[in-house]
Amino acid sequence: MRLIGKSEGPTRQGPTRQGPTRRGVLLAGAAVAGCATASGGSPWQEYDIAPSGLAFGHLRWAEGPEGQRRADLGDGRYLNPIFAGDYPDPAVLRDADAYYATFSSFDAYPGLTLWRSEDLVNWTPFGAALRQPIGSVWAPDLCKHNGRYYLYIPARTRTYRSIYVIHAERMEGPWSDPIDLGLPAHIDPCHVADHDGRRFLFLSGGDRVRLSEDGLSLAGAVEHVYDPWRYPDDWTVESFSPEGPKIAWRAPYWYMITAVGGTAGPPTGHMVIAARARSLDGPWEDCPHNPLIRTRSAREKWWSRGHATLLEGPQGDWHLMYHGYENGFWTLGRQTLLEPVSWGEDGWFSAEGGDLSRPLRKPLPGPPQPHGAPLSDDFSTDRLGTQWRFYDPGPEEHLRLRRGAFGLGMSAKGTTPSDCSPLSFICGDLGYEVETEIEIDPETEAGLILFYNRRLYAGLGFRSSGLVMHRYGLQRRSAAPEGLAQRLFLRLQNDRNIVTIHHSLDGLTWRRFGVQMEVSGYHHNTMGDFLSLRPSLYAAGQGEARFRRVSYRALPQGPA
């Protein structure tokens, strides 16, 4: 535990040979709650430096690579989330004994990373299906029909929106180029084929449209088929917004799962409702127990729970897979949750996971399987699409990158993180630390930041003339450390939304940057776009920045 004196204020950059500590900084001779201690009085301990997640500080997850939290506890149980971090709008497909999933990728490319699992709890990434930018990608649908795989993809730019389809003969690809279906007024498609082979896309708002036999074009006009169940007028929600229809067959009914209440906004807004019909043509009967899932109190572990898929597990039991915000961590985005359901004699199901703050029984017993992947990268292999993604890139953005013995070279673009398409990855830990070594050309600015979108980010960059602090999506120049040339080591720690940055000229002696930041407000409810705060590398100006490696580690889950 590091001892610091009262005189070390928030703007001092004092040298130290150790990195930043987590909690438990002892402060000598300070005032506690306005009562001054006498000279030489007892030290006191700084703890709970941020309010985020304090009510659930007792929860412990298993640890994966680099200490990343993982759901599988190793004792036949799991603790949500099954995907920690920004994995919203899950699209999941069962194919024989395997499950495949992808998620909304929004402005990140390569997009629609694909994951595989055998037990619905442990997942591994293996590729990205969407390479060609078509705009911000919202809630896709992943399906298989007559031996071919399809992804139906809503996407939008500032001037155009539609739903596209790509297809492949193998899940690993290659995937086709996007085909525009010409559906500008809807989102959240769900592909389903009835027992006669007719193919449909069910859409937001209770609508649907017939597809051609090959699934690559429309075969009719959009029609309205379902008026979703409505909650009482006095409930606290974001908006009605019926969206995310997902269709499942369990004889003798088709079940339609829909999200209403708005995907963000108040924690109590988003919810899961169900309806059923004996034919896809209806009529649809609302579940008498709606809503089946809803956050009823901001004291619960998971907020804004919705956008669910009903699916059969590996042993014949049934589950709902959906997303939610973690209490106190809107910054992590919407994370993927798994909840068991039970069936009643009336043919309706009920969710059995409570508020998901306790471990649940795994769908498939057995030892833990591989899950996730390390986030540290020496750039010896290409992980573009499985880990790294550009923000709002151009069609040939990947040509900015080159790999070699020096690590990763990134050609500069734009003037700030706002317009240079930073390279980001998703992480799902409540506290973590990222470190990198950067070398720049004379006209280049580069750095390590937490990036939400072009309007909101925080971190530290540098150019040969000095440091550049980023906060609130704004830039401020800072004096150059003595000896700064064209190489700098940066270490960024995000401890439950408190950001501390250190820099070093040699990777041995580190200085704490003079401003620490609180970033709990860097999320959708303040800045829109449905994104998350992601560790990111950027290179702006002219020339090139070279990142030798990136090291990641999760901070300990318990108190320091």
Side-chain angles (χ1 to χ4, degrees):
M1 206 169 280
R2 182 165 61 98
L3 296 177
I4 62 174
K6 181 179 178 182
S7 61
E8 183 174 357
T11 59
R12 180 180 172 187
Q13 298 182 32
T16 175
R17 288 189 175 270
Q18 63 182 28
T21 59
R22 189 164 187 260
R23 293 188 178 86
V25 180
L26 296 183
L27 301 177
V32 182
C35 298
T37 58
S39 178
S42 298
W44 56 274
Q45 183 177 5
E46 182 185 73
Y47 62 97
D48 294 342
I49 61 174
S52 300
L54 287 182
F56 298 96
H58 61 284
L59 295 182
R60 296 292 180 271
W61 289 264
E63 294 186 0
E66 303 147 337
Q68 297 176 47
R69 59 176 178 163
R70 61 177 295 175
D72 194 332
L73 300 178
D75 60 0
R77 302 178 304 158
Y78 71 96
L79 179 62
N80 278 295
I82 57 169
F83 281 90
D86 191 16
Y87 295 97
D89 307 317
V92 59
L93 166 69
R94 183 175 186 177
D95 188 16
D97 293 330
Y99 297 87
Y100 296 94
T102 191
F103 308 88
S104 294
S105 49
F106 295 101
D107 299 285
Y109 284 87
L112 299 179
T113 299
L114 296 166
W115 297 72
R116 185 183 187 278
S117 174
E118 295 180 359
D119 63 2
L120 291 176
V121 172
N122 297 291
W123 296 80
T124 54
F126 61 88
L130 184 61
R131 299 278 172 173
Q132 178 180 331
I134 54 175
S136 179
V137 169
W138 292 24
D141 190 52
L142 176 64
C143 62
K144 184 181 183 181
H145 185 75
N146 289 340
R148 176 181 283 185
Y149 299 96
Y150 298 83
L151 269 163
Y152 290 92
I153 311 166
R156 58 182 61 196
T157 67
R158 294 171 185 171
T159 58
Y160 185 77
R161 61 180 63 182
S162 191
I163 294 176
Y164 301 79
V165 58
I166 60 176
H167 57 88
E169 301 303 315
R170 301 170 62 249
M171 187 66 75
E172 295 80 6
W175 289 82
S176 72
D177 289 337
I179 299 168
D180 188 349
L181 294 177
L183 287 168
H186 292 83
I187 57 172
D188 300 3
C190 173
H191 173 275
V192 61
D194 69 9
H195 302 307
D196 297 322
R198 297 182 303 162
R199 302 179 67 174
F200 297 93
L201 285 184
F202 278 71
L203 305 164
S204 56
D207 295 346
R208 76 173 186 184
V209 66
R210 182 85 179 267
L211 290 174
S212 61
E213 289 188 8
D214 64 4
L216 304 181
S217 61
L218 303 184
V222 172
E223 57 182 338
H224 187 72
V225 294
Y226 173 55
D227 291 317
W229 176 88
R230 281 187 175 265
Y231 44 79
D233 287 341
D234 60 352
W235 283 14
T236 302
V237 301
E238 183 180 40
S239 60
F240 182 47
S241 302
E243 59 189 7
K246 297 293 182 183
I247 311 290
W249 168 257
R250 183 180 186 267
Y253 293 105
W254 294 99
Y255 290 85
M256 184 194 304
I257 316 301
T258 305
V260 295
T263 194
T268 55
H270 213 26
M271 65 192 84
V272 176
I273 65 171
R276 70 185 183 188
R278 294 182 182 272
S279 165
L280 290 178
D281 297 324
W284 292 92
E285 171 195 3
D286 284 324
C287 176
H289 314 302
N290 282 335
L292 297 169
I293 294 174
R294 181 188 178 220
T295 302
R296 289 172 170 81
S297 168
R299 296 181 184 274
E300 293 180 28
K301 174 61 177 171
W302 294 97
W303 296 340
S304 304
R305 295 191 284 162
H307 203 105
T309 296
L310 177 67
L311 71 158
E312 188 175 3
Q315 293 193 315
D317 47 357
W318 287 74
H319 304 265
L320 288 168
M321 184 182 293
Y322 57 93
H323 66 221
Y325 284 107
E326 192 162 6
N327 187 319
F329 292 94
W330 273 313
T331 51
L332 289 178
R334 292 166 293 168
Q335 306 180 55
T336 299
L337 312 171
L338 183 69
E339 181 168 3
V341 303
S342 62
W343 292 90
E345 294 182 359
D346 59 358
W348 290 108
F349 62 91
S350 58
E352 301 296 337
D355 67 357
L356 303 189
S357 64
R358 295 177 176 84
L360 301 168
R361 181 176 60 85
K362 285 173 55 180
L364 184 65
Q369 301 176 25
H371 177 77
L375 296 175
S376 298
D377 195 358
D378 62 4
F379 304 112
S380 59
T381 59
D382 184 4
R383 289 157 68 175
L384 188 65
T386 55
Q387 175 180 344
W388 296 99
R389 300 165 187 86
F390 284 108
Y391 171 80
D392 192 19
E396 304 296 328
E397 203 78 23
H398 64 282
L399 298 179
R400 293 177 59 201
L401 303 180
R402 65 186 183 100
R403 292 184 292 113
F406 51 84
L408 179 72
M410 184 189 304
S411 296
K413 172 184 173 180
T415 57
T416 70
S418 295
D419 59 4
C420 74
S421 296
L423 191 64
S424 305
F425 65 84
I426 297 169
C427 62
D429 294 302
L430 307 184
Y432 56 85
E433 186 176 272
V434 185
E435 183 179 316
T436 188
E437 176 189 354
I438 310 173
E439 183 182 26
I440 58 172
D441 288 346
E443 300 301 318
T444 306
E445 176 185 313
L448 175 62
I449 58 177
L450 297 178
F451 188 84
Y452 181 78
N453 64 14
R454 62 171 49 89
R455 304 182 302 279
L456 192 59
Y457 46 87
L460 191 65
F462 81 106
R463 52 182 61 194
S464 55
S465 60
L467 303 178
V468 182
M469 180 186 75
H470 303 285
R471 187 166 56 159
Y472 320 125
L474 303 173
Q475 286 66 239
R476 178 179 294 180
R477 300 287 179 85
S478 182
E482 184 178 352
L484 176 66
Q486 291 170 231
R487 186 179 74 150
L488 190 67
F489 293 80
L490 290 175
R491 180 185 292 158
L492 184 153
Q493 182 188 90
N494 182 1
D495 185 0
R496 299 173 183 261
N497 293 321
I498 302 296
V499 175
T500 305
I501 303 171
H502 284 66
H503 55 83
S504 171
L505 299 179
D506 58 9
L508 299 174
T509 301
W510 293 84
R511 288 177 175 267
R512 190 175 78 175
F513 185 66
V515 176
Q516 291 175 277
M517 308 176 194
E518 203 280 342
V519 295
S520 64
Y522 287 44
H523 57 75
H524 172 80
N525 281 353
T526 56
M527 198 53 70
D529 288 355
F530 299 107
L531 304 178
S532 65
L533 200 55
R534 303 181 182 187
S536 304
L537 310 175
Y538 82 92
Q542 314 224 345
E544 181 188 72
R546 290 162 292 282
F547 301 86
R548 184 161 299 277
R549 65 168 287 116
V550 169
S551 298
Y552 177 93
R553 73 175 182 93
L555 299 181
Q557 295 182 35

